[in-house]
Amino acid sequence: MIDPDAEVFVEVVKAGSLAAAARALGISAPLVSRRLSRLETRLGVALAHRTTRRFELTHIGEAYYRDMIVVLDAWQNAETRAKQPARIASGPLRISAPTSFGRLYVAPALKGFLDLHPDVAITLDLSDAYVDLAATRFDLAIRITAAPDAAADRLAGSTRVLCAAPAYLAARGEPKTLGDLDAHRILAAEGQLPWRLAEGIVNGPSHVITNSSEVVRELALAGMGIALRSLWDVHAELASGALRQILPGLSTASDVGIYAVRPRVEGSTAATRAFIDYLRGLLSPVAPWEQR
């Protein structure tokens, strides 16, 4: 820790007198004198010969002044470098995101973000497993949940739809009620059943067992059954006709949202905050999958 009295000494030398240094520091001249005396007592040497009108360094004082100028400059530079990342988006940014959402929306956003912030070095990890930010080194996690952590920023909503390929519906008929689903092939990844809708619960089982939500999407496109998918995942296929929404009157909307979650709000880097703002700008106020 730098002795504050040493900083006063440097200021006196720069100002040329105790009175001038006192005015620059906003303290009284007697206090400046007492602090110089305290510094000399601690060091056990005389740094200057001083009167009310004259301040003259000793040989030891000259050497100490030169050394302290180097130390204070290095300290100021270290402070500036330490504070800079808090203001300028730079350095590493480690992001975790669900596989499908990361592939469709996070990865395509990276180029535009890095064009704006070329000093950021991004690591993107895609996984459908829950990431414990407190136990990992991720700066940010994208989560699709109804119960976000405290340090979470909502990016968009996540409406779900029941859908199937036209070929499947042509072969097996289109369900007219929720109960009709009992006679149909249900497609869901492990952990995604039962489907809890306002009108009732669909238990399954899934026609194909898989741990991958992306596989479920491909199975639905292949005509193997009915899936409950997030609109952000299938809106293009619904628009093209590759998938058809079924039972559109069901209340498949939920309080599930898409969130950017940080380990904590305090201490978040400028790169983390800048990426959240950039992604929010792409997804809000109307998300791409909600546009008509």
Side-chain angles (χ1 to χ4, degrees):
M1 180 177 178
I2 296 176
D3 187 343
D5 292 341
E7 295 182 77
V8 171
F9 167 75
V10 170
E11 186 62 38
V12 172
V13 177
K14 288 181 177 179
S17 70
L18 274 66
R23 288 192 296 271
L25 294 170
I27 58 178
S28 67
L31 179 56
V32 171
S33 181
R34 287 196 298 272
R35 292 184 65 172
L36 289 181
S37 296
R38 184 170 64 184
L39 177 63
E40 290 176 322
T41 299
R42 183 176 68 80
L43 295 175
V45 296
L47 297 175
H49 303 297
R50 56 189 180 276
T51 66
T52 55
R53 297 186 178 183
R54 189 168 67 91
F55 184 85
E56 182 178 340
L57 292 175
T58 64
H59 292 303
I60 294 176
E62 290 176 354
Y64 185 72
Y65 173 73
R66 289 194 299 270
D67 289 342
M68 285 309 303
I69 285 294
V70 173
V71 170
L72 290 172
D73 283 347
W75 173 73
Q76 186 60 53
N77 289 336
E79 290 274 307
T80 300
R81 286 193 295 270
K83 293 176 180 177
Q84 188 177 40
R87 299 189 298 266
I88 301 174
S90 61
L93 175 59
R94 297 165 292 269
I95 305 168
S96 171
T99 303
S100 296
F101 190 84
R103 176 177 58 82
L104 292 172
Y105 298 99
V106 179
L110 297 186
K111 181 184 184 303
F113 176 77
L114 290 175
D115 285 346
L116 294 173
H117 305 285
D119 294 328
V120 176
I122 289 180
T123 298
L124 176 60
D125 183 85
L126 300 184
S127 173
D128 292 326
Y130 177 83
V131 174
D132 183 358
L133 294 180
T136 63
R137 294 180 60 82
F138 286 107
D139 302 297
L140 177 66
I142 305 300
R143 290 187 181 154
I144 303 172
T145 178
D149 295 354
D153 294 272
R154 186 179 174 92
L155 302 175
S158 184
T159 301
R160 299 177 298 166
V161 295
L162 286 164
C163 57
Y168 172 84
L169 298 175
R172 300 184 65 89
E174 183 171 344
K176 302 300 182 185
T177 67
L178 189 64
D180 291 345
L181 293 178
D182 293 339
H184 281 267
R185 294 176 177 175
I186 299 302
L187 299 172
E190 291 177 340
Q192 293 182 343
L193 285 171
W195 295 340
R196 300 183 184 278
L197 309 176
E199 292 79 3
I201 295 176
V202 179
N203 284 303
S206 178
H207 183 58
V208 175
I209 297 175
T210 177
N211 66 343
S212 170
S213 183
E214 288 203 330
V215 168
V216 171
R217 180 177 180 276
E218 296 307 310
L219 294 175
L221 284 167
M224 294 186 65
I226 296 172
L228 180 63
R229 305 299 297 169
S230 296
L231 188 57
W232 57 257
D233 188 32
V234 296
H235 73 105
E237 288 72 21
L238 291 171
S240 70
L243 291 174
R244 276 175 47 196
Q245 183 177 358
I246 63 172
L247 299 175
L250 291 182
S251 301
T252 52
S254 68
D255 56 356
V256 172
I258 301 167
Y259 293 87
V261 181
R262 291 169 279 175
R264 61 189 186 281
V265 175
E266 300 80 5
S268 295
T269 66
T272 301
R273 297 192 297 273
F275 189 76
I276 292 173
D277 290 342
Y278 184 79
L279 205 55
R280 184 190 289 114
L282 296 178
L283 302 180
S284 302
V286 180
W289 54 87
E290 298 284 359
Q291 295 175 3
R292 295 290 186 264

Coordinates of all heavy atoms in Angstrom, one line a residue, residues 25-99:
L25 N -4.0 20.4 -2.5 CA -4.5 19.2 -1.8 C -5.8 19.6 -1.0 O -6.5 18.6 -0.6 CB -3.5 18.6 -0.8 CG -2.2 18.0 -1.5 CD1 -1.2 17.7 -0.4 CD2 -2.6 16.8 -2.2
G26 N -6.1 20.8 -0.8 CA -7.3 21.2 -0.1 C -7.2 21.0 1.4 O -8.2 20.8 2.1
I27 N -5.9 21.1 2.0 CA -5.7 21.0 3.4 C -4.9 22.2 3.8 O -4.4 23.0 3.0 CB -5.0 19.7 3.8 CG1 -3.7 19.5 3.0 CG2 -5.9 18.5 3.4 CD1 -2.9 18.3 3.4
S28 N -4.6 22.3 5.1 CA -3.9 23.5 5.7 C -2.4 23.2 5.5 O -1.9 22.1 5.5 CB -4.2 23.7 7.1 OG -3.8 22.6 7.9
A29 N -1.6 24.3 5.5 CA -0.2 24.2 5.4 C 0.4 23.5 6.6 O 1.4 22.7 6.5 CB 0.5 25.6 5.2
P30 N -0.1 23.8 7.8 CA 0.5 23.1 9.0 C 0.3 21.6 8.9 O 1.1 20.8 9.4 CB -0.3 23.7 10.2 CG -0.6 25.1 9.7 CD -0.9 24.9 8.3
L31 N -0.9 21.2 8.4 CA -1.1 19.7 8.3 C -0.2 19.1 7.2 O 0.3 18.0 7.5 CB -2.6 19.5 7.8 CG -3.0 18.0 7.6 CD1 -2.7 17.2 8.9 CD2 -4.4 17.9 7.2
V32 N 0.1 19.8 6.2 CA 1.1 19.3 5.2 C 2.4 19.1 5.9 O 3.1 18.1 5.7 CB 1.2 20.3 4.0 CG1 2.4 19.9 3.1 CG2 0.0 20.3 3.2
S33 N 2.8 20.1 6.7 CA 4.1 20.0 7.4 C 4.2 18.9 8.3 O 5.2 18.1 8.4 CB 4.4 21.3 8.2 OG 5.6 21.3 8.8
R34 N 3.1 18.6 9.1 CA 3.0 17.5 10.0 C 3.1 16.2 9.3 O 3.8 15.2 9.8 CB 1.7 17.6 10.9 CG 1.7 18.7 11.9 CD 0.7 18.5 12.9 NE -0.7 18.5 12.4 CZ -1.4 19.6 12.2 NH1 -0.9 20.8 12.5 NH2 -2.7 19.5 11.7
R35 N 2.5 16.1 8.1 CA 2.5 14.8 7.4 C 3.9 14.6 6.8 O 4.4 13.4 6.7 CB 1.5 14.8 6.3 CG 0.1 14.8 6.9 CD -1.0 14.7 5.9 NE -1.0 13.4 5.1 CZ -1.9 13.1 4.3 NH1 -3.0 13.8 4.1 NH2 -1.8 11.9 3.6
L36 N 4.6 15.6 6.4 CA 6.0 15.4 5.9 C 6.9 15.0 7.1 O 7.8 14.1 6.9 CB 6.5 16.7 5.3 CG 5.9 17.1 4.0 CD1 6.6 18.4 3.5 CD2 6.1 16.0 2.9
S37 N 6.7 15.6 8.2 CA 7.5 15.2 9.4 C 7.2 13.7 9.8 O 8.1 13.0 10.2 CB 7.1 16.1 10.6 OG 7.5 17.4 10.3
R38 N 6.0 13.3 9.7 CA 5.6 11.9 10.0 C 6.3 11.0 9.0 O 6.8 9.9 9.4 CB 4.1 11.8 10.0 CG 3.6 10.4 10.4 CD 2.1 10.4 10.5 NE 1.4 10.7 9.3 CZ 0.1 10.8 9.2 NH1 -0.7 10.7 10.3 NH2 -0.5 11.0 8.0
L39 N 6.3 11.4 7.7 CA 7.0 10.5 6.7 C 8.5 10.4 7.0 O 9.1 9.3 7.0 CB 6.8 11.1 5.3 CG 7.5 10.4 4.2 CD1 7.0 9.0 4.0 CD2 7.3 11.2 2.9
E40 N 9.1 11.6 7.4 CA 10.6 11.5 7.7 C 10.9 10.7 8.9 O 11.9 10.0 9.0 CB 11.1 12.9 7.9 CG 11.1 13.7 6.6 CD 11.5 15.2 6.8 OE1 11.1 15.8 7.8 OE2 12.3 15.7 5.9
T41 N 9.9 10.8 9.9 CA 10.1 10.0 11.1 C 10.0 8.5 10.8 O 10.8 7.7 11.3 CB 9.1 10.3 12.2 OG1 9.2 11.7 12.5 CG2 9.2 9.5 13.4
R42 N 9.1 8.1 10.0 CA 8.9 6.7 9.6 C 10.2 6.2 8.8 O 10.6 5.1 9.0 CB 7.7 6.5 8.8 CG 7.4 5.0 8.4 CD 6.1 4.9 7.6 NE 6.1 5.5 6.3 CZ 6.7 4.9 5.2 NH1 7.3 3.8 5.3 NH2 6.7 5.6 4.1
L43 N 10.7 7.1 7.9 CA 11.9 6.7 7.1 C 13.2 6.8 7.9 O 14.2 6.1 7.5 CB 11.9 7.5 5.9 CG 10.8 7.3 4.8 CD1 10.9 8.4 3.7 CD2 10.7 5.9 4.3
G44 N 13.2 7.7 8.9 CA 14.4 7.9 9.7 C 15.4 8.7 9.0 O 16.6 8.7 9.3
V45 N 15.0 9.6 8.1 CA 15.9 10.5 7.3 C 15.2 11.8 7.1 O 14.0 11.9 7.2 CB 16.3 9.9 5.9 CG1 17.0 8.6 6.1 CG2 15.0 9.7 5.1
A46 N 16.0 12.8 6.8 CA 15.5 14.1 6.4 C 15.4 14.2 4.9 O 16.3 13.9 4.2 CB 16.4 15.2 6.9
L47 N 14.2 14.5 4.4 CA 14.0 14.6 3.0 C 14.1 16.0 2.4 O 14.4 16.1 1.2 CB 12.5 14.1 2.7 CG 12.2 12.6 3.0 CD1 10.8 12.3 2.8 CD2 13.1 11.7 2.2
A48 N 14.0 17.0 3.3 CA 14.1 18.4 2.8 C 14.4 19.3 3.9 O 14.1 19.0 5.1 CB 12.7 18.8 2.1
H49 N 15.0 20.4 3.5 CA 15.1 21.6 4.4 C 14.0 22.5 4.1 O 13.8 22.9 2.9 CB 16.5 22.2 4.2 CG 17.7 21.3 4.4 ND1 17.9 20.7 5.6 CD2 18.6 20.9 3.5 CE1 19.0 19.9 5.5 NE2 19.4 20.0 4.2
R50 N 13.2 22.9 5.1 CA 12.1 23.7 4.8 C 11.9 24.8 5.8 O 12.1 24.6 7.0 CB 10.8 22.9 4.6 CG 10.5 22.0 5.8 CD 9.4 21.0 5.5 NE 9.0 20.2 6.6 CZ 9.6 19.1 7.0 NH1 10.7 18.7 6.3 NH2 9.2 18.4 8.0
T51 N 11.4 25.9 5.3 CA 10.9 27.0 6.1 C 9.6 27.5 5.5 O 9.1 26.8 4.6 CB 11.9 28.2 6.0 OG1 12.0 28.8 4.7 CG2 13.3 27.8 6.5
T52 N 9.0 28.5 6.0 CA 7.8 29.0 5.5 C 7.9 29.5 4.0 O 6.9 29.5 3.3 CB 7.2 30.2 6.3 OG1 8.2 31.2 6.4 CG2 6.8 29.7 7.7
R53 N 9.1 29.9 3.6 CA 9.3 30.4 2.3 C 10.2 29.5 1.4 O 10.2 29.7 0.2 CB 10.0 31.8 2.3 CG 9.1 32.8 3.1 CD 9.7 34.2 3.0 NE 8.9 35.2 3.6 CZ 9.2 36.5 3.6 NH1 10.3 36.9 3.0 NH2 8.4 37.4 4.2
R54 N 10.8 28.5 2.0 CA 11.8 27.7 1.1 C 11.6 26.2 1.4 O 11.3 25.8 2.5 CB 13.2 28.1 1.5 CG 14.2 27.6 0.5 CD 15.6 28.3 0.8 NE 16.1 28.0 2.1 CZ 16.9 26.9 2.4 NH1 17.3 26.1 1.4 NH2 17.4 26.7 3.6
F55 N 11.7 25.5 0.3 CA 11.6 24.0 0.4 C 12.7 23.4 -0.4 O 12.6 23.5 -1.7 CB 10.2 23.5 0.0 CG 10.0 22.0 0.1 CD1 9.6 21.5 1.4 CD2 10.3 21.1 -0.9 CE1 9.4 20.1 1.5 CE2 10.1 19.8 -0.7 CZ 9.6 19.3 0.5
E56 N 13.7 22.9 0.2 CA 14.9 22.4 -0.6 C 15.1 20.9 -0.2 O 15.3 20.6 1.0 CB 16.1 23.2 -0.2 CG 17.3 22.8 -1.0 CD 18.5 23.7 -0.7 OE1 18.3 24.9 -0.2 OE2 19.7 23.3 -0.9
L57 N 15.2 20.1 -1.2 CA 15.4 18.7 -1.0 C 16.8 18.4 -0.6 O 17.8 19.0 -1.1 CB 15.1 17.9 -2.3 CG 13.6 17.8 -2.7 CD1 13.5 17.1 -4.1 CD2 12.7 17.2 -1.7
T58 N 16.9 17.4 0.3 CA 18.3 16.8 0.6 C 18.6 15.9 -0.6 O 17.8 15.5 -1.4 CB 18.2 16.1 1.9 OG1 17.3 15.0 1.8 CG2 17.8 17.0 3.0
H59 N 19.8 15.3 -0.5 CA 20.2 14.3 -1.6 C 19.3 13.1 -1.5 O 18.9 12.5 -2.5 CB 21.7 14.0 -1.4 CG 22.7 15.1 -1.7 ND1 22.6 15.7 -3.0 CD2 23.6 15.7 -1.0 CE1 23.6 16.6 -3.0 NE2 24.2 16.7 -1.8
I60 N 19.1 12.7 -0.2 CA 18.2 11.5 0.0 C 16.8 11.9 -0.5 O 16.1 11.0 -1.1 CB 18.2 11.1 1.4 CG1 19.6 10.6 1.9 CG2 17.1 10.0 1.7 CD1 19.7 10.2 3.3
G61 N 16.3 13.1 -0.2 CA 15.0 13.5 -0.7 C 14.9 13.5 -2.2 O 13.8 13.1 -2.7
E62 N 15.9 13.9 -2.9 CA 15.9 13.9 -4.4 C 15.7 12.5 -4.9 O 15.0 12.3 -5.8 CB 17.2 14.6 -4.9 CG 17.2 16.1 -4.7 CD 18.5 16.7 -5.2 OE1 19.4 15.9 -5.6 OE2 18.7 17.9 -5.1
A63 N 16.5 11.6 -4.3 CA 16.4 10.2 -4.8 C 15.1 9.6 -4.5 O 14.5 8.9 -5.3 CB 17.6 9.4 -4.1
Y64 N 14.6 9.9 -3.3 CA 13.2 9.4 -2.9 C 12.2 9.9 -3.8 O 11.2 9.2 -4.2 CB 13.0 9.8 -1.4 CG 11.7 9.2 -0.8 CD1 11.6 7.8 -0.5 CD2 10.6 10.0 -0.6 CE1 10.4 7.3 0.0 CE2 9.4 9.5 -0.1 CZ 9.4 8.1 0.2 OH 8.2 7.6 0.7
Y65 N 12.3 11.2 -4.1 CA 11.3 11.8 -5.0 C 11.3 11.1 -6.4 O 10.2 10.8 -6.9 CB 11.6 13.3 -5.2 CG 10.7 14.0 -6.2 CD1 9.4 14.2 -6.0 CD2 11.2 14.3 -7.5 CE1 8.5 14.8 -6.9 CE2 10.4 14.9 -8.4 CZ 9.1 15.2 -8.2 OH 8.3 15.7 -9.1
R66 N 12.5 10.9 -7.0 CA 12.6 10.2 -8.3 C 11.9 8.8 -8.2 O 11.2 8.4 -9.1 CB 14.0 10.1 -8.7 CG 14.6 11.4 -9.1 CD 15.9 11.2 -9.9 NE 16.9 10.6 -9.0 CZ 17.8 11.2 -8.2 NH1 17.8 12.5 -8.2 NH2 18.7 10.5 -7.5
D67 N 12.2 8.1 -7.1 CA 11.7 6.7 -7.0 C 10.2 6.8 -6.8 O 9.5 5.9 -7.4 CB 12.3 6.0 -5.8 CG 13.8 5.7 -6.0 OD1 14.2 5.6 -7.2 OD2 14.5 5.4 -5.0
M68 N 9.7 7.7 -6.0 CA 8.2 7.8 -5.8 C 7.5 8.2 -7.0 O 6.3 7.7 -7.2 CB 7.9 8.7 -4.6 CG 8.2 8.2 -3.3 SD 7.5 6.5 -2.9 CE 5.8 6.8 -3.2
I69 N 8.1 9.0 -7.9 CA 7.4 9.4 -9.1 C 7.2 8.1 -10.0 O 6.1 7.9 -10.6 CB 8.3 10.4 -9.9 CG1 8.1 11.8 -9.3 CG2 7.8 10.5 -11.4 CD1 6.8 12.4 -9.3
V70 N 8.2 7.3 -10.0 CA 8.1 6.0 -10.8 C 7.0 5.1 -10.2 O 6.2 4.5 -10.9 CB 9.5 5.3 -10.8 CG1 9.3 3.9 -11.5 CG2 10.5 6.1 -11.6
V71 N 7.0 5.0 -8.8 CA 6.1 4.1 -8.2 C 4.6 4.7 -8.4 O 3.7 3.9 -8.7 CB 6.4 4.1 -6.7 CG1 5.2 3.4 -5.9 CG2 7.7 3.3 -6.4
L72 N 4.4 6.0 -8.2 CA 3.1 6.5 -8.4 C 2.6 6.5 -9.8 O 1.4 6.2 -10.0 CB 3.1 8.0 -7.9 CG 3.2 8.2 -6.4 CD1 3.4 9.7 -6.0 CD2 2.0 7.6 -5.6
D73 N 3.5 6.6 -10.8 CA 3.1 6.5 -12.2 C 2.7 5.0 -12.4 O 1.6 4.8 -13.1 CB 4.2 6.9 -13.1 CG 4.4 8.4 -13.2 OD1 3.4 9.1 -12.7 OD2 5.4 8.9 -13.7
A74 N 3.4 4.1 -11.9 CA 3.1 2.7 -12.2 C 1.8 2.3 -11.5 O 0.9 1.6 -12.0 CB 4.2 1.8 -11.6
W75 N 1.6 2.9 -10.3 CA 0.3 2.6 -9.6 C -0.9 3.2 -10.3 O -1.9 2.6 -10.5 CB 0.4 3.2 -8.2 CG -0.9 3.2 -7.4 CD1 -1.5 2.1 -6.8 CD2 -1.7 4.3 -7.1 NE1 -2.7 2.5 -6.2 CE2 -2.8 3.8 -6.4 CE3 -1.7 5.7 -7.4 CZ2 -3.9 4.7 -5.9 CZ3 -2.7 6.5 -7.0 CH2 -3.8 6.0 -6.3
Q76 N -0.7 4.5 -10.9 CA -1.8 5.1 -11.6 C -2.1 4.3 -12.9 O -3.3 4.1 -13.3 CB -1.4 6.5 -12.0 CG -2.6 7.3 -12.6 CD -3.8 7.4 -11.7 OE1 -3.7 7.8 -10.6 NE2 -5.0 7.0 -12.3
N77 N -1.1 3.8 -13.6 CA -1.3 3.0 -14.8 C -2.0 1.7 -14.5 O -2.9 1.3 -15.2 CB 0.1 2.8 -15.5 CG 0.7 4.0 -16.1 OD1 -0.1 4.9 -16.4 ND2 2.0 4.0 -16.2
A78 N -1.6 1.1 -13.3 CA -2.3 -0.1 -12.9 C -3.8 0.1 -12.6 O -4.6 -0.7 -13.0 CB -1.6 -0.7 -11.7
E79 N -4.1 1.2 -12.0 CA -5.4 1.5 -11.7 C -6.2 1.8 -13.0 O -7.4 1.3 -13.1 CB -5.5 2.8 -10.8 CG -5.0 2.7 -9.4 CD -6.1 2.2 -8.5 OE1 -7.1 2.8 -8.4 OE2 -5.8 1.2 -7.8
T80 N -5.6 2.4 -13.9 CA -6.3 2.7 -15.2 C -6.6 1.4 -15.9 O -7.7 1.2 -16.5 CB -5.5 3.7 -16.0 OG1 -5.3 4.9 -15.3 CG2 -6.1 3.9 -17.4
R81 N -5.6 0.5 -16.0 CA -5.8 -0.7 -16.7 C -6.8 -1.6 -16.0 O -7.6 -2.3 -16.7 CB -4.4 -1.5 -16.8 CG -3.5 -0.9 -17.8 CD -2.3 -1.8 -18.0 NE -1.5 -2.0 -16.9 CZ -0.4 -1.3 -16.5 NH1 -0.1 -0.3 -17.3 NH2 0.3 -1.6 -15.4
A82 N -6.8 -1.6 -14.7 CA -7.8 -2.4 -14.0 C -9.2 -1.9 -14.2 O -10.2 -2.7 -14.3 CB -7.5 -2.4 -12.5
K83 N -9.4 -0.6 -14.3 CA -10.8 0.0 -14.5 C -11.2 -0.1 -15.9 O -12.4 0.0 -16.2 CB -10.8 1.4 -14.0 CG -10.6 1.6 -12.5 CD -10.5 3.0 -12.1 CE -10.3 3.2 -10.6 NZ -10.2 4.6 -10.2
Q84 N -10.3 -0.1 -16.8 CA -10.7 -0.1 -18.3 C -11.7 -1.2 -18.7 O -12.7 -0.9 -19.4 CB -9.5 -0.1 -19.1 CG -9.7 0.2 -20.6 CD -8.5 0.2 -21.4 OE1 -7.6 -0.6 -21.2 NE2 -8.4 1.1 -22.4
P85 N -11.5 -2.4 -18.3 CA -12.4 -3.5 -18.7 C -13.8 -3.2 -18.2 O -14.8 -3.7 -18.8 CB -11.8 -4.8 -18.1 CG -10.4 -4.5 -17.9 CD -10.3 -3.0 -17.6
A86 N -14.0 -2.5 -17.1 CA -15.3 -2.2 -16.6 C -16.1 -1.2 -17.5 O -17.3 -1.1 -17.5 CB -15.3 -1.6 -15.2
R87 N -15.3 -0.4 -18.4 CA -15.9 0.6 -19.2 C -15.9 0.2 -20.7 O -16.8 0.5 -21.4 CB -15.2 1.9 -19.1 CG -15.2 2.5 -17.7 CD -14.6 3.9 -17.7 NE -13.2 3.9 -18.1 CZ -12.2 3.8 -17.3 NH1 -12.4 3.7 -16.0 NH2 -11.0 3.9 -17.8
I88 N -14.9 -0.6 -21.1 CA -14.8 -0.9 -22.5 C -14.9 -2.4 -22.7 O -14.3 -3.2 -22.0 CB -13.4 -0.5 -23.1 CG1 -13.2 1.0 -22.9 CG2 -13.2 -0.9 -24.5 CD1 -11.9 1.5 -23.2
A89 N -15.8 -2.9 -23.6 CA -16.0 -4.3 -23.9 C -14.7 -4.9 -24.5 O -14.4 -4.6 -25.6 CB -17.2 -4.5 -24.8
S90 N -14.1 -5.7 -23.7 CA -12.8 -6.3 -24.2 C -12.6 -7.6 -23.3 O -13.2 -7.8 -22.3 CB -11.6 -5.4 -24.0 OG -11.4 -5.0 -22.7
G91 N -11.6 -8.4 -23.8 CA -11.3 -9.6 -23.0 C -12.2 -10.8 -23.2 O -13.0 -10.7 -24.1
P92 N -12.0 -11.8 -22.5 CA -12.7 -13.1 -22.7 C -14.2 -12.9 -22.3 O -14.5 -12.2 -21.3 CB -12.0 -14.1 -21.8 CG -11.3 -13.3 -20.7 CD -11.0 -12.0 -21.4
L93 N -15.1 -13.6 -23.0 CA -16.5 -13.7 -22.7 C -16.9 -15.1 -22.9 O -17.0 -15.6 -24.1 CB -17.3 -12.7 -23.6 CG -18.8 -12.8 -23.4 CD1 -19.2 -12.5 -22.0 CD2 -19.5 -11.8 -24.4
R94 N -17.2 -15.8 -21.9 CA -17.6 -17.2 -21.9 C -19.1 -17.4 -21.8 O -19.7 -17.0 -20.8 CB -16.8 -18.0 -20.8 CG -15.3 -18.0 -21.0 CD -14.6 -18.4 -19.8 NE -14.8 -17.5 -18.7 CZ -14.0 -16.5 -18.5 NH1 -12.9 -16.2 -19.2 NH2 -14.2 -15.6 -17.5
I95 N -19.7 -17.9 -22.8 CA -21.2 -18.0 -22.9 C -21.7 -19.5 -23.0 O -21.1 -20.2 -23.7 CB -21.7 -17.3 -24.2 CG1 -21.2 -15.8 -24.2 CG2 -23.3 -17.3 -24.2 CD1 -21.5 -15.1 -25.5
S96 N -22.7 -19.8 -22.2 CA -23.3 -21.1 -22.3 C -24.8 -20.9 -22.8 O -25.4 -19.9 -22.4 CB -23.4 -21.8 -20.9 OG -24.2 -23.0 -21.0
A97 N -25.2 -21.7 -23.7 CA -26.6 -21.6 -24.3 C -27.1 -23.0 -24.6 O -26.4 -23.9 -24.9 CB -26.6 -20.7 -25.5
P98 N -28.5 -23.1 -24.6 CA -29.1 -24.4 -25.0 C -28.7 -24.7 -26.5 O -28.6 -23.7 -27.3 CB -30.6 -24.1 -24.8 CG -30.7 -23.0 -23.9 CD -29.5 -22.2 -24.1
T99 N -28.6 -25.9 -26.8 CA -28.1 -26.3 -28.2 C -28.9 -25.7 -29.3 O -28.3 -25.0 -30.2 CB -28.1 -27.8 -28.3 OG1 -27.4 -28.4 -27.2 CG2 -27.5 -28.3 -29.6

